[in-house]
């Protein structure tokens, strides 16, 4: 194998290859290698962000992010981590306002009207309005 490689078989050049022309170097402006030892050149600026002592709130939010990625949170608890945006919240509240429970005065007036209809012998027309239930049962 070593002898075959010494034969010096020349490979064909790649077709349509860009032939790079070496830029002529001016001998007046030769670039000398930089020396970073004592008394030499200034060291290049390094990215030291990993070694900074970050403020406590930054460290806490980063640790929280890592913890939330690593732990599995049950869906019943996780639903409180996703807030609703303002437009959607206003539309939900508008919908709930239509189905809010009647006030004491409105209920009293409705019951008085039902009693009056019953007293007059008419068929009772007013019925209890539909409301959104909330609270603990």
């Amino acid at each position: 194998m070593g002898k075959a490689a010494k034969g010096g078989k020349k490979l064909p050049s790649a077709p349509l290859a860009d032939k790079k022309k070496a830029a002529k170097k001016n001998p007046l402006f030769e670039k000398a290698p930089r020396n970073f030892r004592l008394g030499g050149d200034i060291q290049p600026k390094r990215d030291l962000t990993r070694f900074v002592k970050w403020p406590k709130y930054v460290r806490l939010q980063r640790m929280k992010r890592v913890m939330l990625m690593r732990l599995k949170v049950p869906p019943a608890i996780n639903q409180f981590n996703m807030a609703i945006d303002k437009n959607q919240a206003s539309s939900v509240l508008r919908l709930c306002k239509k189905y809010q429970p009647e006030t004491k005065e409105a209920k009293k007036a409705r019951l008085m009207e039902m009693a009056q209809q019953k007293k007059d012998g008419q068929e009772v027309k007013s019925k209890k309005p539909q409301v959104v239930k909330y609270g603990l049962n």
Side-chain angles (χ1 to χ4, degrees), residues 103-120:
T103 60
K104 288 187 178 183
E105 294 85 25
K107 183 176 180 182
K108 188 174 181 181
R110 180 176 58 86
L111 290 176
M112 289 295 279
E113 189 182 328
M114 279 177 57
Q116 190 66 37
Q117 286 177 352
K118 208 172 196 180
K119 184 179 174 187
D120 294 342

Side-chain angles (χ1 to χ4, degrees), residues 6-23:
K6 282 186 180 178
K9 192 173 188 183
K10 191 172 183 183
L11 293 172
S13 62
L16 303 174
D18 291 331
K19 295 186 178 181
K20 296 181 182 178
K21 294 180 182 177

